Amino acid sequence: MLNKKHKTGVYMENGLRGGMAWFPLLLIIPAVLNFIIFWIVPNFNSILLSFQDTNGDWTTGNYTWVLKDLFQNSAGTFRIALRNTLIYFSVSYFITQTFNVVLAYFIYKKIFCGPFFRFVLYMPNMFASIIMVSMYMNILGYEGPVVELLYNWGWLDEKISFFHRTQYAMWVSVGYSLWVGVNSVFLWSSGAMARIPKDLFEVASLDGITPFKEFIYITLPMISGTLSTLYIIGISGILGAGGATLYLTYGEYGTTTLSFWIWKQVYTGSGYGTSSALGILMTAVSLPLVFFVKWLSGKLSPEVSY
């Protein structure tokens, strides 16, 4: 084994090629620059912008906390956006994610035509979002089959587009999120269930366990590690949920969300300070929730190894 340092600084130790201290530092320079340019600088700039006036002009000397404007001048829009964001999050976090786990269990138990249903339910994720949105809007649009059917039945006095009526727009947008909600959570749950030893189910079946108890007392505890990870990741997006608002309604008819509101203000150049302050507020709320859910999952999730 050669363990002799040469003048060039390159040596051999345990069969590995090494060098002087500057060499590994040279390798991490791109990562450090990326972290500084795309994380530290934007976040530091957001903090500065959040203390500027609504026009983002430092020359006025009006260095106020822009968050005040968010709760005063924009209070109505903020409340609507916050309400819609929480609706989207609740649907995704509690309803869709739970449905995905239950669905994964039924397909894991090899129900009739299980592979076919798995393909059909996951198919929306195989197409581009704009294709799925176009299909959905055509179904519920003026000339769509749903509107045509309701009009012929006399449930509608006139043909309408559900996306252009305030009383319907938000709920059909949430319906789209449910429609395409079978996503990678389904694959994660299926993969976790596939790792469960078959012996457990065989022994339980000999004891006469019912499918419901098998799901509650065997399957869920055995995949609790995967589920806790999914719920921890999911809670981080509590104030960033928004569905396909940009494509479906462009935030009109009472469908705006916090994330869409930030994007629209930055895109139109109408409120950099307010957007930055709102982003800081969202981070301040989400970060403690992530740690709380992580702590709670550690208390509720049993330690399972197999």
Side-chain angles (χ1 to χ4, degrees), residues 181-213:
V182 182
N183 47 32
S184 58
V185 174
F186 172 77
L187 296 181
W188 278 79
S189 302
S190 300
M193 292 177 188
R195 295 179 56 244
I196 301 176
K198 300 295 188 297
D199 298 343
L200 291 176
F201 298 110
E202 294 175 359
V203 173
S205 63
L206 293 176
D207 291 336
I209 193 171
T210 63
F212 177 76
K213 289 184 177 180

Side-chain angles (χ1 to χ4, degrees), residues 257-278:
T257 61
L258 294 179
S259 57
F260 178 80
W261 190 20
I262 291 177
W263 173 85
K264 189 174 182 180
Q265 289 189 100
V266 174
Y267 182 75
T268 58
S270 59
Y272 293 104
T274 306
S275 301
S276 300
L278 180 56

Side-chain angles (χ1 to χ4, degrees), residues 141-292:
Y142 288 106
E143 303 298 331
V146 174
V147 174
E148 188 74 25
L149 185 63
L150 295 177
Y151 179 74
N152 292 334
W153 284 356
W155 291 10
L156 292 177
D157 297 330
E158 60 178 342
K159 293 184 178 181
I160 63 172
S161 173
F162 289 106
F163 300 99
H164 298 89
R165 296 294 180 94
T166 303
Q167 63 267 40
Y168 303 122
M170 181 60 193
W171 300 114
V172 294
S173 298
V174 171
Y176 174 80
S177 297
L178 285 171
W179 184 42
V180 299
V182 182
N183 47 32
S184 58
V185 174
F186 172 77
L187 296 181
W188 278 79
S189 302
S190 300
M193 292 177 188
R195 295 179 56 244
I196 301 176
K198 300 295 188 297
D199 298 343
L200 291 176
F201 298 110
E202 294 175 359
V203 173
S205 63
L206 293 176
D207 291 336
I209 193 171
T210 63
F212 177 76
K213 289 184 177 180
E214 180 184 281
F215 176 70
I216 297 297
Y217 296 110
I218 296 180
T219 305
L220 288 182
M222 295 299 289
I223 66 171
S224 60
T226 300
L227 294 181
S228 62
T229 301
L230 293 175
Y231 279 103
I232 291 172
I233 296 174
I235 197 66
S236 62
I238 183 173
L239 295 180
T245 305
L246 174 63
Y247 297 137
L248 293 175
T249 61
Y250 199 72
E252 302 295 333
Y253 309 103
T255 62
T256 187
T257 61
L258 294 179
S259 57
F260 178 80
W261 190 20
I262 291 177
W263 173 85
K264 189 174 182 180
Q265 289 189 100
V266 174
Y267 182 75
T268 58
S270 59
Y272 293 104
T274 306
S275 301
S276 300
L278 180 56
I280 294 175
L281 177 63
M282 293 169 63
T283 302
V285 172
S286 302
L287 190 61
L289 284 176
V290 170
F291 284 103
F292 172 74

Side-chain angles (χ1 to χ4, degrees), residues 35-50 276 279-280 283:
F35 179 72
I36 293 174
I37 296 174
F38 295 103
W39 196 90
I40 292 181
V41 173
N43 282 277
F44 181 73
N45 190 44
S46 295
I47 296 174
L48 294 180
L49 286 172
S50 65
S276 300
I280 294 175
T283 302

